[in-house]
Amino acid sequence: MNRQKEKLVVIGNGMAGSRILSEIVQKAPDKFEMTVIGSEPVSSYNRVLLSSVLQGEKELEDIKIHPNEWYEKNNINLRVGETVVQLNPDSKVLITDKGYCTEYDHLVFATGSRPFKLPIPGSQLSNVRTFRTVEDCDHLTALAKHTKKAIVIGGGLLGLEAAKGLVHLGLEVVVVHLGERIMERQLDETASSLLMEELKNQGIQFWLQKETKEILGESTVEGVRFSDGTMTKADLVIMCAGIRPNMELAKANGIKTNRAIVVNDSLQTSNPNIYAIGECAEHRGIVYGLVQPLNEQANVLAHILCGVQGHLYRGTTVSSKLKISGVHVFSAGLIEPKETMLSLTLINEIKKNYKRFIFDDDRLVGVILYGEVQNSSLLLEYIVEKQNLSDERKEQLLTMVGSVEDVVKNLKKTDLVCQCNAVSKGIIQEAISKHGAKTLEQVKVRTKASSSCGGCSSTIKAMLQTMEIGGDSFESEKETLCVCIDLSEEEVVERIIKLGLETIEEVRSTLGWMKSTGCKVCQKVLTYYVTMIHTSAFEYSKEELNVIEQKNGKFALTPEFYGGVITAEQINSVATIMKKYRVPYLRVRSDQRIELDSIEKEQLRNLYSDLNLPLRKNNDFQVQPVLMLNHFRENKEQLLQLAVELDQRLLGVNVPHTVQIGIFYLGERVNATKCDLRIDYYPHGLELSVIGQSDEENQLFYKTLKEEMLLEMILGLIHYYRMTAKYLEPLYSWLQRMGIISVREFIFDETNRSELLTQL
């Protein structure tokens, strides 16, 4: 590198740190020798979208801001998993906990904040977590597999998003909130009530005006006690009770702090060579905790560092959008009017829509939208620009609905579409017309629009659909497999079969993958389709079978016992293995299988060699071992044999989505919700049903007196499903899409069924 360049060091590689680097790379890529130091062990990612990862809508790869290659390409020294522990502002030198020492000419604090843990008894227990980082997300996902009930402390934006994610993972979730209503900083009483009612319908419980006094348990969470004397059982507690700026390093080195690191309009601290942006900075007495202000701060600071005159930070009018599937909420500015202010409200009880507009004379100073939020960007622009509105225009705001397309037409070129990243309609139009962006992802790469909260994505899609170039309109954005390829999922599968592509690498190189290694999305999808179409194309090593890594760093192993039946010889074999390898205990799982726990990693290979039992692939989606309850008083041997044969025939079979088969006696309801395919034994015969979301949605598929015919039907149905369903499409959803009559006709045909069984 050119040693004559000024040295710029950024402490913190979160959203603020990565944004200031992006701005400088765009404005003056050769001006600085840049270093960024981040405490987290991963590269920068969009923290705003962590809730989407927890809810299962996105993968970590989807929310990364910059891959490691970006830092290399732009000659940025990226140091992850390191923390600055010493700073000398006089000599302009800093040192990390890994011993890295560097000088600087300009230093930027972008250290963000950390979650606040309530200082109450029990807060140190192992199952008390926060929700702030990728590591938190991973821990919560892992804990959800072994827990049943979670308490989320805090009914703010982050608490609600965490609660929804945990519900998605199958937990019973209670949000405990000290206030009288949820999201009281962003919503008034009406909007808060509407939101809480909707979230209750989605499975979240709420306990308001509850103060958590103590978390109960010895080593892990067992319950929670409240200040009113009541208590509840729980095995997981998530604290979402606020954040605290990371300002200790600055404060220890004489830099002025208050609630955070104090900065002026140039974002300088009390030391003229040191700056601060984002959640660790306090500007004019305000500490912002949202992405929009930090992006504006990064833009201003980049101009200042690059020597561009006339740029100062004057503050940000913040807005909030809730990022929970199916819930549309927006607020900006004031939520309650002050004296002399005008408030206009409209509520539609049928559609559950609510609007509130607060005016100071002719200026809009506050907005709350629940349900219909299409006009949020335009309304925020009114607030930011302090536009004067006539009485007629004020009234029109109440009834202004319109489609997203109408909203786009009403936007001026200078109006902001993406508030988070300050991207106007004109900039997006230019990306489409001049730079050929034809998809949301391409617009995002070109302009950063929709790369933060994603709330403007529908508006951008509408622009892509309606904007005319040379007299031709864009077609609706094509739903591609992922961002690496312009082909749909169906087109990729069609080409794999037609061209005989047998490996993942062959698929990527032949079909023109944009990224040679693919992304988290296509890696899983391609693995599924290639292994399904070409069974021999992908071999599993024994270390990848039946093994689950445990929290203590050891491993759990589940041997395969067909039908859940264990012979005396197999019991002896397992006992011998346990003694030889000092496996402390085994446990009986809810699916009637046994699990050997706490196995050392170095013992696995030899243990596999000695364990003379079949093994199941530990991949994402497969047919699970058959669940058979022990309530049978007749025909038990025949049904047990059916379970054994199903397990044998379907062991290791990949399916688009996990399939659980259960065998039940006389229509019993116990554990019925666990199954996708249900076999019911009655004196008059056997019934096979595909299970929906409720009893009313269950579909009776087939009746017979013969177990062997039922076996054929199940095997045929499973293989037809895996050959025609989309990846991640559940069995019931597939049946709904295909039509039960059509599927029956195909599988009931003896020739078709015979071919399916041969292929399987």
Side-chain angles (χ1 to χ4, degrees):
M1 290 187 219
N2 183 356
R3 304 303 296 176
Q4 301 305 311
K5 293 181 180 179
E6 291 183 286
K7 290 185 176 181
L8 171 67
V9 177
V10 178
I11 305 177
N13 191 34
M15 296 184 70
S18 62
R19 186 56 183 252
I20 184 67
L21 293 172
S22 297
E23 295 283 354
I24 290 173
V25 165
Q26 285 187 351
K27 293 173 176 60
D30 299 319
K31 183 174 177 62
F32 297 104
E33 179 182 326
M34 291 184 282
T35 298
V36 59
I37 303 168
S39 296
E40 288 195 63
V42 295
S43 183
S44 58
Y45 59 88
N46 188 337
R47 201 180 305 277
V48 175
L49 297 178
L50 270 181
S51 55
S52 299
V53 175
L54 188 62
Q55 290 174 38
E57 296 173 357
K58 294 182 183 294
E59 298 274 355
L60 173 59
E61 195 69 25
D62 301 327
I63 68 170
K64 279 194 173 180
I65 298 173
H66 297 305
N68 290 354
E69 296 79 20
W70 181 86
Y71 296 91
E72 294 174 10
K73 177 183 175 183
N74 292 290
N75 296 316
I76 299 171
N77 180 16
L78 171 65
R79 308 190 70 86
V80 297
E82 287 191 53
T83 302
V84 178
V85 291
Q86 292 184 41
L87 173 64
N88 190 327
D90 295 329
S91 59
K92 298 182 183 178
V93 173
L94 59 81
I95 301 174
T96 73
D97 58 349
K98 298 289 180 66
Y100 174 73
C101 179
T102 184
E103 298 176 342
Y104 64 84
D105 296 298
H106 306 281
L107 179 68
V108 179
F109 274 95
T111 47
S113 58
R114 62 189 180 278
F116 174 66
K117 265 197 171 186
L118 296 175
I120 58 176
S123 60
Q124 80 287 350
L125 294 174
S126 61
N127 278 24
V128 178
R129 305 295 308 181
T130 55
F131 181 50
R132 185 71 182 165
T133 65
V134 167
E135 184 182 15
D136 291 333
C137 225
D138 291 340
H139 276 298
L140 292 178
T141 303
L143 286 170
K145 298 175 182 177
H146 309 289
T147 53
K148 295 180 180 178
K149 183 177 180 179
I151 299 293
V152 176
I153 301 176
L157 195 66
L158 189 64
L160 298 183
E161 292 172 357
K164 178 60 178 176
L166 293 171
V167 167
H168 178 86
L169 293 173
L171 274 67
E172 179 187 351
V173 179
V174 178
V175 172
V176 175
H177 190 51
L178 191 58
E180 295 180 358
R181 65 178 190 266
I182 59 174
M183 284 186 70
E184 68 270 22
R185 293 183 180 180
Q186 294 88 11
L187 302 178
D188 63 9
E189 186 176 353
T190 302
S192 178
S193 297
L194 287 168
L195 175 61
M196 190 166 73
E197 193 61 35
E198 173 60 32
L199 294 179
K200 282 181 180 178
N201 292 335
Q202 295 190 18
I204 302 174
Q205 302 174 55
F206 291 92
W207 296 348
L208 302 181
Q209 294 180 280
K210 280 274 193 182
E211 182 183 11
T212 306
K213 194 75 172 177
E214 180 183 6
I215 301 172
L216 308 173
E218 293 294 329
S219 60
T220 188
V221 175
E222 296 176 12
V224 176
R225 191 191 310 277
F226 303 100
S227 57
D228 60 6
T230 60
M231 63 170 290
T232 184
K233 291 183 178 180
D235 38 24
L236 176 63
V237 171
I238 315 298
M239 288 195 181
C240 298
I243 56 176
R244 297 291 183 270
N246 291 317
M247 60 178 181
E248 289 75 17
L249 183 65
K251 186 176 183 178
N253 286 278
I255 297 170
K256 185 179 179 181
T257 60
N258 185 31
R259 292 169 56 214
I261 304 170
V262 177
V263 296
N264 59 21
D265 287 359
S266 296
L267 298 163
Q268 280 176 313
T269 68
S270 55
N271 185 308
N273 300 111
I274 300 177
Y275 304 81
I277 60 172
E279 293 174 336
C280 68
E282 178 181 335
H283 175 261
R284 298 187 183 184
I286 300 175
V287 181
Y288 296 99
L290 298 170
V291 65
Q292 181 186 346
L294 76 82
N295 284 340
E296 292 181 14
Q297 292 172 357
N299 181 267
V300 169
L301 182 55
H303 280 99
I304 292 171
L305 291 173
C306 294
V308 181
Q309 300 298 314
H311 287 268
L312 295 173
Y313 179 66
R314 306 293 192 186
T316 301
T317 301
V318 298
S319 61
S320 300
K321 284 187 179 179
L322 192 63
K323 295 169 290 298
I324 295 180
S325 298
V327 179
H328 303 287
V329 185
F330 171 83
S331 75
L334 299 179
I335 61 171
E336 294 289 351
K338 298 178 181 178
E339 287 185 17
T340 74
M341 288 185 178
L342 172 68
S343 175
L344 297 179
T345 60
L346 177 69
I347 184 166
N348 185 326
E349 295 282 0
I350 298 174
K351 293 185 176 180
K352 301 295 183 186
N353 290 335
Y354 174 69
K355 299 178 182 180
R356 184 173 195 177
F357 302 102
I358 300 173
F359 299 93
D360 186 2
D361 290 330
D362 290 334
R363 291 190 297 108
L364 183 66
V365 293
V367 175
I368 298 174
L369 302 177
Y370 183 92
E372 294 175 348
V373 298
Q374 299 96 317
N375 296 289
S376 58
S377 296
L378 179 63
L379 295 167
L380 183 57
E381 189 78 5
Y382 286 163
I383 296 176
V384 173
E385 297 297 327
K386 300 179 180 179
Q387 294 189 22
N388 289 323
L389 303 174
S390 66
D391 288 346
E392 182 182 4
R393 184 55 178 156
K394 292 174 188 175
E395 290 184 33
Q396 288 175 350
L397 295 184
L398 286 175
T399 56
M400 181 174 64
V401 182
S403 63
V404 182
E405 290 75 15
D406 293 333
V407 173
V408 170
K409 290 176 184 177
N410 292 328
L411 286 172
K412 301 190 297 293
K413 279 195 172 185
T414 54
D415 289 342
L416 295 182
V417 172
C418 177
Q419 294 289 338
C420 293
N421 298 287
V423 184
S424 67
K425 177 182 179 181
I427 292 174
I428 296 173
Q429 285 178 324
E430 186 174 296
I432 297 171
S433 61
K434 290 188 178 180
H435 302 289
K438 294 186 178 181
T439 67
L440 173 62
E441 192 63 33
Q442 290 170 348
V443 171
K444 188 185 298 183
V445 170
R446 189 77 200 177
T447 68
K448 293 191 178 73
S450 188
S451 63
S452 295
C453 78
C456 59
S457 59
S458 59
T459 306
I460 297 172
K461 287 180 179 180
M463 291 180 67
L464 287 163
Q465 292 168 1
T466 60
M467 186 175 171
E468 293 188 354
I469 298 177
D472 294 323
S473 298
F474 283 123
E475 296 179 0
S476 297
E477 184 179 352
K478 179 180 178 180
E479 188 176 344
T480 59
L481 174 66
C482 66
V483 297
C484 302
I485 189 71
D486 285 332
L487 298 175
S488 67
E489 185 175 331
E490 292 84 355
E491 289 171 333
V492 170
V493 175
E494 181 185 340
R495 283 164 173 76
I496 292 174
I497 297 172
K498 186 175 181 180
L499 301 175
L501 307 177
E502 296 189 354
T503 66
I504 295 172
E505 293 72 21
E506 198 176 5
V507 173
R508 290 186 186 132
S509 61
T510 305
L511 301 186
W513 240 247
M514 298 176 191
K515 186 178 178 183
S516 59
T517 56
C519 64
K520 281 286 181 69
V521 175
C522 64
Q523 285 168 3
K524 289 186 175 182
V525 178
L526 289 185
T527 298
Y528 168 71
Y529 281 119
V530 170
T531 54
M532 183 194 72
I533 297 168
H534 303 290
T535 318
S536 62
F538 197 81
E539 294 290 336
Y540 282 85
S541 67
K542 283 190 172 182
E543 284 71 19
E544 294 175 290
L545 302 172
N546 282 76
V547 174
I548 298 173
E549 187 169 1
Q550 298 175 307
K551 190 176 180 180
N552 60 6
K554 297 182 181 181
F555 294 83
L557 169 67
T558 303
E560 184 64 35
F561 297 103
Y562 296 133
V565 176
I566 307 176
T567 65
E569 184 180 340
Q570 288 171 331
I571 291 176
N572 287 333
S573 174
V574 170
T576 302
I577 289 291
M578 292 180 68
K579 289 178 182 178
K580 180 176 180 179
Y581 293 98
R582 296 181 181 177
V583 179
Y585 60 89
L586 63 78
R587 67 182 184 91
V588 180
R589 304 192 325 181
S590 59
D591 63 357
Q592 303 166 341
R593 268 61 178 177
I594 65 170
E595 184 176 278
L596 307 182
D597 277 338
S598 297
I599 303 170
E600 300 288 348
K601 184 176 182 180
E602 55 270 17
Q603 293 179 327
L604 284 174
R605 186 179 293 273
N606 291 333
L607 189 150
Y608 274 126
S609 299
D610 292 347
L611 188 65
N612 188 25
L613 289 169
L615 301 171
R616 179 179 292 273
K617 287 184 282 191
N618 187 25
N619 61 348
D620 284 344
F621 297 119
Q622 55 186 302
V623 181
Q624 299 299 305
V626 174
L627 178 66
M628 182 174 174
L629 299 184
N630 298 316
H631 299 158
F632 292 87
R633 293 185 290 276
E634 53 187 294
N635 210 31
K636 185 172 183 176
E637 291 302 320
Q638 291 88 333
L639 292 171
L640 190 58
Q641 184 57 36
L642 174 63
V644 170
E645 290 190 49
L646 283 170
D647 275 347
Q648 288 176 331
R649 295 290 297 272
L650 295 172
L651 175 65
V653 170
N654 289 347
V655 282
H657 194 279
T658 302
V659 173
Q660 177 70 70
I661 303 173
I663 303 178
F664 299 89
Y665 181 72
L666 299 179
E668 62 188 336
R669 308 314 301 165
V670 181
N671 286 326
T673 54
K674 291 183 178 180
C675 296
D676 302 283
L677 269 180
R678 178 185 173 98
I679 302 165
D680 282 290
Y681 167 77
Y682 295 99
H684 61 266
L686 296 160
E687 293 184 358
L688 175 66
S689 301
V690 179
I691 303 302
Q693 300 298 315
S694 64
D695 288 348
E696 292 74 26
E697 294 179 315
N698 295 349
Q699 297 271 355
L700 177 62
F701 188 81
Y702 180 65
K703 285 185 178 183
T704 184
L705 292 171
K706 301 178 180 178
E707 287 85 2
E708 60 270 21
M709 281 302 299
L710 186 64
L711 177 66
E712 282 193 15
M713 289 297 171
I714 294 173
L715 296 177
L717 178 64
I718 292 290
H719 190 54
Y720 191 43
Y721 162 60
R722 65 197 294 262
M723 292 298 289
T724 56
K726 298 178 181 179
Y727 183 65
L728 298 182
E729 185 176 24
L731 180 65
Y732 178 78
S733 300
W734 165 79
L735 189 67
Q736 291 288 92
R737 177 171 63 84
M738 296 286 287
I740 188 170
I741 295 176
S742 172
V743 174
R744 274 182 185 150
E745 286 180 351
F746 187 87
I747 295 176
F748 288 2
D749 182 277
E750 189 174 348
T751 303
N752 293 338
R753 189 169 66 253
S754 176
E755 186 176 346
L756 288 171
L757 296 177
T758 302
Q759 291 173 354
L760 181 65

